[in-house]
Amino acid sequence: LSVVIDKPEEVKELLFDVAGSLGIVNYFLGGKINDVSTNETSVHPALRKSVWSIFTLDGAHNQMVRDFVSNDVTGVCYNHHNGHEPDWRNACWGENYEKLMEVKRKYDPKNTFS
C-alpha cells in the first residue's frame, strides 16, 4: 500500500507500461483479508497490505513489476501467479514457506501430494 501512496505517479507509469500484457485476472485486494493476522494462514504476509493483484503475460513486463515492487515488499496471488516467477517460494508464501514445508513433511512424508 505504501508504494501507491508514496509513488502514485510512478505506479501510474508502471501500469501504463505493462498495460499491453496484463492478463484477465487483475483485481483489487483488501477488505476482510486485512483483518486476519499475517501468520494465521499460508497467504504471503504482504498480501494483507496489498491493494491490487497484477498478472502480466510476458517476461519483460513481469520483470518490470518485480523491479518496481520486489517480492520482499509484496507477494503474488498463488492462484494466478506467473509460472516463470524466479523467486516463486518467496513470492507466493514469503516467510510462511518454511512453516508450510514443515507441515508438508509431517503430513505428507512420501510426497503423495506434491
Side-chain angles (χ1 to χ4, degrees), residues 104-105 107-114:
K104 174 150 178 48
R105 285 188 289 272
Y107 293 102
D108 187 23
K110 296 181 182 180
N111 285 321
T112 303
F113 305 104
S114 60

Side-chain angles (χ1 to χ4, degrees), residues 38-93:
T38 59
N39 63 355
E40 288 188 44
T41 71
S42 64
V43 172
H44 192 298
L47 284 179
R48 303 285 179 208
K49 298 178 275 181
S50 296
V51 293
W52 75 72
S53 175
I54 299 174
F55 185 89
T56 56
L57 301 174
D58 71 56
H61 288 125
N62 292 340
Q63 191 60 48
M64 285 177 71
V65 173
R66 266 193 304 279
D67 289 344
F68 187 78
V69 184
S70 64
N71 287 331
D72 60 332
V73 174
T74 188
V76 297
C77 172
Y78 49 84
N79 289 321
H80 305 115
H81 82 283
N82 188 301
H84 300 288
E85 169 61 52
D87 187 24
W88 64 270
R89 288 174 182 91
N90 181 40
C92 290
W93 295 285

